Structures are given as C-alpha cells and as structure tokens.
Amino acid sequence: MTGTVNGPVREALDALALVDHHCHGVVTAGLDRPGFESLLTEGEAWPGVSPFDSPAGLAVRRHCAPLLDLPRHAPADAYLARRAELGGAEATRRLLAACGTEVFCVDTGFAPEPVTVPPVRHEIVRLESVAESLAAGGVEPDAYADAFRAAAQEAVRRPEVVGVKSVAAYRTGFDLDPARPSGAEVTEAAARWLPTGTRLADPVLVRHLLWTAVDLGLPLQLHTGFGDNDIRLHRVDPTHLTDWLHLTTGTVPVLLLHCWPYQRHAAYLAAVFEHVYLDVGLTLHHVGPARAAAVLAEALEITPPRKLLYSSDAYGLAEFYHLGALAFRQGLAELLQQRVDAGEIALPDALRFAAWAGRDNALRVYRRLPRTPEPSKV
Ligand SMILES: [Zn+2]
C-alpha cells in the first residue's frame, strides 16, 4: 500500500524545503459549503453529488482533517464545521505551514486573492492577461505587435517576476502553425480580434504571443493536459508542440505544467529537447496521495531527473498546497525508495534526484529566483 513507505528517501523529502514553481492565490476568507465545493472540483458542482466524493475530496478528509484537530476521514460536514470554527485565516495558516514549501511562484493572472502567508513569493506573468489589458486600453491593429512586446517587457521588468506563462491550451490548443507569424499577419489578426472585446483566442495572435514569450528570454510555463471543462483535452497534448519546440531549441526553458493524462508524452519531449521540463502539478492533488506514485512513475519512466519539477498548482483552497506537497513527497519517496531497495539505483542518487525535483531544478531553471537555499552540488 502507498503511504507506508518510510526510509531515508522519505525522510529527506519530508525535510526538503520545496520550491513550488506554479501555484495560484488562496482564499483566506471563510468558505461555506457551496464555496468550498466549487473550489474542490475542476468541473461544476452537480446537484445531488458532492465533490467531496472524489479522490481530491477523500484526500482532504484523510490528510487535512488531522491538521484541523479532527480524526482522519472526518465527514465532510464535520470538516467544514471545524474549518468555519477555526476561521479561514487560521485554517489557511495551518495548511500552508504543513506543506513545507519555502518558495512559491504565483501565477497572478487567475487568482482569487494573493498568497500572503508563504514566506517567499515570486510572480509568473500570464501573457494573455497582458494582451487583453492592452486591447481593453485601446490600440490600433498595426501598432499591436510593438505595443504587446513593450507591455510584456514592462510587465516582466519588476524584480519579483521570475517567468511567464501562456494559457494557449485554453484558447486554441497546440495544433498551431509553429512558425513565427509575419507583421502583416499579426496586424490582420489584430484587426479581427481587437474590435470584438473578447478574450484572446485567435490562432495567429496566440502564435505571436508564444514567440513574444521566447523573445522575453524568461522561462515559459505552458498549461498542458488536465484542467477545467473549458479545455478540449485532445488539443492540449503537448506533442502537438513538437515542431515549435524544434524551432525554439536553444532559446528559453519551456515548462509543461500538469500534463495528465499526457505525462508520458511530456516526458518524451523532456527527454529529447534540452529546453523542455515538466511537472504533474494539479494532477497530484486530484488523484490524491494514493495514486501520486503511479503518475510520477509514468512521468519518470523516461524523463531525465534533471527535468522534473514540483508544483502544486494549488488554487483557492489551502488544502491543495498541503495535498500537493504531501502527494509529491510521498509518491516520489515511494518510487525512489523501491528502486533503491531493488538495487536499481544507489541511495545517494535517489537523494540527489529527490532534491533536484523538489527544489534544485527550479532554482536552476528560474535564474531570477534567489540562490538561497543553495542548490545541491551535482
Ligand atoms: Zn495553474
């Protein structure tokens, strides 16, 4: 069974101050049952069916209840009553303290409230938000390309910004022409899009956004795979990016987020492209600690250990910061310890790989992150 693997790898992972390279804001205000349940699922809350009856909901009752002084598996009603009794701020404090994450890289493009409790917070700029603010402010189609570039450069100039992100997955998917669009193409597309006042979903402008991201020179996060019901899952298989990755080789690090159920596809890309990395954030708390090792095992079948990063992708519920970190530590420890016990890898290698995935790979990729804690020496 999972969750029972102890040993030096688990001890090392439990002691490791994680770098969470992709997360969102947390709601610190009190949440009523509909409010909590709506954040517990990536889908809608369905009449007569509680999102607590899901892998994530069961994991909350199993692993978060004790942090609120409740027994394991406390019923949902008891959990929510105790959470309300403590207050949202205290519940958040306890859950965030338990996650053992030292550095948070927060996507501020989609955040209910800023993360305020974590000690070290850095920012990821969502480029679609930059483009949409520019459009809302008014810009002529033939000035759009230069104005977007200038706005993006301005947005990343702030010292707390360590990288950028695109949600192209939500807007067009990845089955795009990989080439950089010409100036004339961008002007023509901007003339179509700007008067609509809608969110950015034009394929030419999404391509232009991705290439502008490359020009910025900072690590680029791409949502891939799993997400809410706004996603068309078959269009967000990261292998659609293969030709674009050929064209962008030698430029910026590309970080494939979430990936499920395409973690093997993402792992392939990370194995063959120097600039590609992946995580299985969001997936970890939705499959729960009980299945985290299985997902991580698929991600690590072929991924070089230098290419896996930790993220929680927690959004809204403080529970998800704790569950993401717990599932990562437990799942990775389980699979690495098994390989040590089977004599497939040496313990020092397992300990190195654990520190790389939980912290050091992120410190290596995000060059603007402070150098403390110092990455372990290779
Ligand atoms: Zn996210």
Side-chain angles (χ1 to χ4, degrees):
M1 276 303 292
T2 55
T4 56
V5 172
N6 290 310
V9 182
R10 180 68 194 265
E11 284 165 24
L13 270 162
D14 281 352
L16 183 67
L18 297 175
V19 175
D20 184 347
H21 87 108
H22 172 66
C23 63
H24 301 266
V26 62
V27 175
T28 52
L31 287 164
D32 60 11
R33 183 159 187 147
F36 190 94
E37 290 191 333
S38 73
L39 290 167
L40 188 55
T41 171
E42 284 290 302
E44 309 292 329
W46 305 317
V49 181
S50 171
F52 269 101
D53 291 322
S54 66
L58 294 168
V60 166
R61 290 174 46 215
R62 161 64 181 86
H63 295 286
C64 301
L67 294 173
L68 307 190
D69 312 316
L70 295 170
R72 293 175 176 185
H73 314 295
D77 284 336
Y79 185 83
L80 292 171
R82 176 62 182 155
R83 201 181 194 280
E85 184 182 43
L86 284 171
E90 172 62 12
T92 299
R93 190 195 64 73
R94 291 185 182 199
L95 290 157
L96 284 180
C99 75
T101 300
E102 186 160 295
V103 174
F104 294 84
C105 300
V106 182
D107 172 359
T108 50
F110 187 57
E113 285 181 33
V115 173
T116 50
V117 177
V120 186
R121 182 192 158 199
H122 302 277
E123 188 178 331
I124 304 292
V125 168
R126 190 185 287 213
L127 291 174
E128 284 79 3
S129 303
V130 174
E132 287 156 6
S133 297
L134 181 67
V139 60
E140 291 302 316
D142 60 354
Y144 171 81
D146 286 345
F148 177 56
R149 175 187 301 267
Q153 285 171 340
E154 186 61 30
V156 303
R157 191 162 293 143
R158 288 170 295 127
E160 61 269 30
V161 173
V162 297
V164 295
K165 180 187 178 190
S166 167
V167 288
Y170 274 95
R171 305 304 179 80
T172 55
F174 295 136
D175 195 7
L176 296 168
D177 180 346
R180 187 191 285 264
S182 70
E185 284 176 291
V186 173
T187 298
E188 190 188 324
R192 278 197 307 269
W193 173 57
L194 290 169
T196 66
T198 56
R199 65 183 198 170
L200 180 72
D202 180 280
V204 172
L205 297 182
V206 168
R207 282 164 57 207
H208 177 251
L209 181 148
L210 293 174
W211 281 101
T212 303
V214 169
D215 296 339
L216 290 172
L218 290 174
L220 169 62
Q221 299 182 350
L222 292 177
H223 179 117
T224 66
F226 188 38
D228 64 35
N229 64 12
D230 210 11
I231 278 279
R232 303 297 178 270
L233 194 59
H234 63 293
R235 293 192 202 143
V236 298
D237 177 340
T239 57
H240 286 306
L241 292 165
T242 305
D243 289 320
W244 185 77
L245 291 170
H246 276 290
L247 293 177
T248 57
T249 293
T251 64
V252 295
V254 175
L255 298 117
L256 305 175
L257 309 178
H258 324 315
C259 298
W260 186 93
Y262 301 118
Q263 61 269 19
R264 285 173 152 163
H265 300 204
Y268 157 73
L269 295 172
V272 298
F273 287 103
E274 184 266 341
H275 59 319
V276 175
Y277 299 78
L278 78 151
D279 72 35
V280 287
L282 183 68
T283 308
L284 291 176
H285 60 259
H286 279 285
V287 303
R291 284 292 289 171
V295 174
L296 282 163
E298 289 193 347
L300 283 171
E301 281 169 346
I302 198 164
T303 302
R306 264 299 185 194
K307 296 299 199 80
L308 179 76
L309 277 70
Y310 167 67
S311 88
S312 65
D313 195 33
Y315 171 81
L317 297 184
E319 280 79 356
F320 287 161
Y321 296 85
H322 174 53
L323 287 178
L326 177 72
F328 176 78
R329 294 181 207 273
Q330 183 170 304
L332 189 60
E334 184 182 325
L335 79 91
L336 288 174
Q337 189 68 52
Q338 279 172 0
R339 289 179 193 180
V340 170
D341 293 345
E344 289 297 325
I345 59 174
L347 178 60
D349 288 324
L351 297 175
R352 221 159 39 106
F353 297 165
W356 286 358
R359 181 189 63 193
D360 298 342
N361 289 343
L363 295 178
R364 188 164 176 256
V365 170
Y366 294 91
R367 297 190 177 279
R368 289 187 178 185
L369 282 178
R371 298 293 92 192
T372 52
E374 273 302 308
S376 350
K377 296 286 176 291
V378 179

